[in-house]
Amino acid sequence: MSMSPGASISNGPESAVKRRRTNDADTNASSAIPAATPSTHIPKRGARACTACRKGKNRCEGEGDFPPLLTGPLPRSARLSSTFKGPCRRCALSGTPCIFEKPEKKNVAPAVAGANAERLSRLEGQYLVMQSHMIGMQSSLDRILSVVQGQATAGAMFPPPQPQAVGNRPFDERGDKFPPLPGFAPPPHKYATYGIIPSTAPSSDDESEETLPRATMNAPIEALQGLANAAAEAAAVPSTSAPRVKKRKRAEPIPRNAFPHVVDKGLVADSEARELYNIFFAGCHLFIPVFDPLYDTYESLMERTPWTFDAILAVAGKIRSGNGPLSPTFYKCLEEAQGIARSSLFGPVVRKEAVQGMLLLAAWSTNGWLPSGHAMRMALDLGLHRALEKLADDSGKQRTQDEERDIVVSARIWLCLYWFDHQMSLGTGRPIVLRDENSIRHCRLLLNHPMASPTDVRLISQVELIAQKTQIYETLSSMNGQVNHNTLAFVRRAIIALEKWYTECDELHRQTMDENSLLRKILAGELHYAKLWLVCVALRGVSWDKMPFEQRELAFQAKDAASSCLDIFLSSPEYRAALRYAVHDSLVTAAFSGLFLLKMASLFPAELDLGMITVQVEQLAQLLSDVAAERYALTLRIMLANLRRKVGLGSGIQSPVPHTMGPPPAGFADMVVTPTAYVDPNLPPPFTMEELGFAPGDRNIVSPAAIPLWLQEQSLNDLGLPVNGSDGIFLQIAGSNGWAGDFAPMPEAW
């Protein structure tokens, strides 16, 4: 039979010995006590002292072996102890009755002891919780102090690296490593460390080296108290006026710029920097309307934001080079701007102008998806998405001119970033990250503001257009490519809504611009391209030979929109001249319109004017080549060569083929192979250099693998927009111009 732990202990041999010793002691004690005492129990410590000694807190010492002669009546509650041998010494000397009270009953002690034990256990638990919290607070403070002290030590031991001189060497000869980051010294923290230094020494003499010092336990409380005192002192402003109910929060001062700009570092001369600044504001700010030329002057940008200043000079340096070789100034400015951008990935951003710098790097990049996403999160972290709400606040709160300017600039940056990020998502088929339309609800307030910029009217038009295109894309995507009566009805309603948008926005432009102004031409081109884009999204995956009459009508409406878009590009001298400043999105608008016309001409050759279409597309390809947009120009030339093959047209109908004897552009060499490399007889023959309008050479044919699927013969029946947008339409080349092909390949993973 199993036994409990308590039973096994009480029945052991050692316990038996203890019982025998106890019985012997009880027998000896009973022989020395009179027979009138029946109990042999040993009283507790409190019962061994008489009443008089216990009240006086004196030691009770027995005197004799016999009970004393009691002179007075014995109280009823008093009893003689079984171990009493005589009166104590003090009672015998003073003549006080030596009385021993009876011990308390045993059945009361367990209840009292249980309550005390429960209370003690609860207090111990609370103490342990408080102790763990205090230790955690101390650990957190220690880590913070170690990081702050480590940064200060690193800044003192390792000076900022000096930028490497570029000279006149081509950039491709400088290796595959990243450009050097500009030096960054951490600015001093506003509140320093508050004098909190963790101590490891004992706090007093009674503490050993192994024990936890009392100062360590008290440090978190002292630190929090110090923070509270510092906050109270900072908030205490002496004033004789009556206290206000709500105190206005003081704005934190923005620290000084951590990075110098290229002029300050001596990389670019001031005269050349001013030239590049003028080039940028001659047309670039029209395509990314995030600046106010009256406020964003050369001196102002140089002082406020070296990041944006360097990015502006880099963009202008690329535009100045055109389709020729890029200058060393471009590389220097781009190195500095991208270096600051990389330094912002894991550090705090305190200036809204940093969003401008990242937005510029994304806008003039062939692949701006990643930098635009980083700019969006920088803006959210700075709270720029609430700028329009503050601008619409009519609570009567007065703002200074600087505060009003700050809100207007923040609102302009947010609207431009909102439009650009959504456009990147729709243009590449990627999901839209930010779907909060409340942040742009009051966008038209910017037009009537005294600090409005001349380009704000274009910005508001773009924001309202992208909001409509977002709703169109989400509605058509949910239909899963099914073109039924509901789809066609929605497309018609969407076209009406787009025309209404154009009427309202053109009226806003007309108030300050004439009919032939560049911004009104751009607005009209965006209307026609939006109609083309709408139909291509609706007809995604639909073959032309299976189209019913209504879908066929939509396809021809899209053809008319594409033709109108090309007419605006080619007939407006202002628009043709402005294409050199254009961003990726504007170039896609022109190039895709030409590609759609070529597809329609290939599918319906008897119903379209092939001669007029080829002339328009050849002129557009030449224009794109002149503005260093060879990626789009070569894509158009490949589609032109395919159309000539299919319908039996000669090259250069009513217009000579451009670059008849010129060499192929730089970066196109990776797509050109020797004729012997082509070995698949089942595929159509590859295009030669002569068909594309270039002089022949040893590597005379275009590799079929380099041509996107949407451009190939088996996909000509598909008039819809690819799922991945422009990435599935245009050639992926690394040219001598542009952002993508200028540098050695970057790492694809960390």
Side-chain angles (χ1 to χ4, degrees), residues 279-298:
I279 290 176
F280 182 89
F281 281 94
C284 294
H285 69 297
L286 301 177
F287 292 93
I288 298 295
V290 73
F291 296 102
D292 182 0
L294 298 179
Y295 172 69
D296 297 310
T297 61
Y298 177 83

Side-chain angles (χ1 to χ4, degrees), residues 504-521:
E504 294 179 356
C505 293
D506 187 62
E507 179 64 24
L508 296 176
H509 285 69
R510 191 175 62 85
Q511 297 175 5
T512 56
M513 307 172 191
D514 58 17
E515 185 177 1
N516 295 323
S517 63
L518 175 60
L519 292 184
R520 292 187 69 179
K521 292 294 184 181

Side-chain angles (χ1 to χ4, degrees), residues 399-613:
R399 292 188 288 260
T400 64
Q401 186 175 4
D402 292 340
E403 292 174 342
E404 194 73 14
R405 171 71 69 179
D406 182 77
I407 295 178
V408 170
V409 173
S410 299
R412 185 178 296 121
I413 294 174
W414 174 253
L415 289 175
C416 191
L417 181 60
Y418 183 94
W419 156 71
F420 184 80
D421 190 73
H422 280 63
Q423 183 63 38
M424 287 293 299
S425 299
L426 297 181
T428 58
R430 293 182 173 92
I432 298 174
V433 178
L434 184 66
R435 297 178 179 270
D436 184 16
E437 297 182 358
N438 293 327
S439 61
I440 61 172
R441 182 175 50 185
H442 306 289
C443 61
R444 291 212 174 189
L445 291 176
L446 198 61
L447 296 177
N448 301 323
H449 198 277
M451 298 180 180
S453 171
T455 57
D456 284 343
V457 62
R458 166 166 165 76
L459 176 60
I460 301 305
S461 302
Q462 291 294 99
V463 170
E464 293 180 351
L465 175 61
I466 202 62
Q468 288 200 23
K469 293 177 70 174
T470 301
Q471 295 179 359
I472 292 172
Y473 187 84
E474 292 179 347
T475 303
L476 293 178
S477 298
S478 62
M479 296 180 179
N480 298 321
Q482 298 179 359
V483 184
N484 48 30
H485 293 289
N486 294 331
T487 306
L488 298 177
F490 174 79
V491 170
R492 295 189 186 96
R493 293 195 303 270
I495 291 177
I496 295 175
L498 290 174
E499 291 177 347
K500 180 181 178 182
W501 161 83
Y502 171 75
T503 303
E504 294 179 356
C505 293
D506 187 62
E507 179 64 24
L508 296 176
H509 285 69
R510 191 175 62 85
Q511 297 175 5
T512 56
M513 307 172 191
D514 58 17
E515 185 177 1
N516 295 323
S517 63
L518 175 60
L519 292 184
R520 292 187 69 179
K521 292 294 184 181
I522 293 177
L523 186 71
E526 288 168 346
L527 169 65
H528 297 304
Y529 182 76
K531 292 180 179 180
L532 169 62
W533 173 84
L534 166 64
V535 176
C536 289
V537 174
L539 298 181
R540 179 177 292 166
V542 178
S543 298
W544 69 274
D545 54 348
K546 299 179 181 179
M547 286 183 179
F549 175 77
E550 293 179 335
Q551 296 182 17
R552 184 185 175 96
E553 287 298 316
L554 280 181
F556 275 87
Q557 289 181 18
K559 184 269 302 180
D560 294 337
S563 180
S564 300
C565 189
L566 276 190
D567 287 338
I568 293 176
F569 272 102
L570 299 176
S571 62
S572 173
E574 294 82 8
Y575 211 160
R576 293 171 62 97
L579 275 184
R580 63 184 297 224
Y581 307 105
V583 295
H584 168 77
D585 180 66
S586 299
L587 299 175
V588 168
T589 299
F592 183 75
S593 299
L595 292 176
F596 187 84
L597 283 178
L598 292 177
K599 267 203 171 185
M600 289 290 295
S602 178
L603 296 176
F604 308 101
E607 302 179 40
L608 300 180
D609 188 350
L610 301 184
M612 185 186 68
I613 291 177

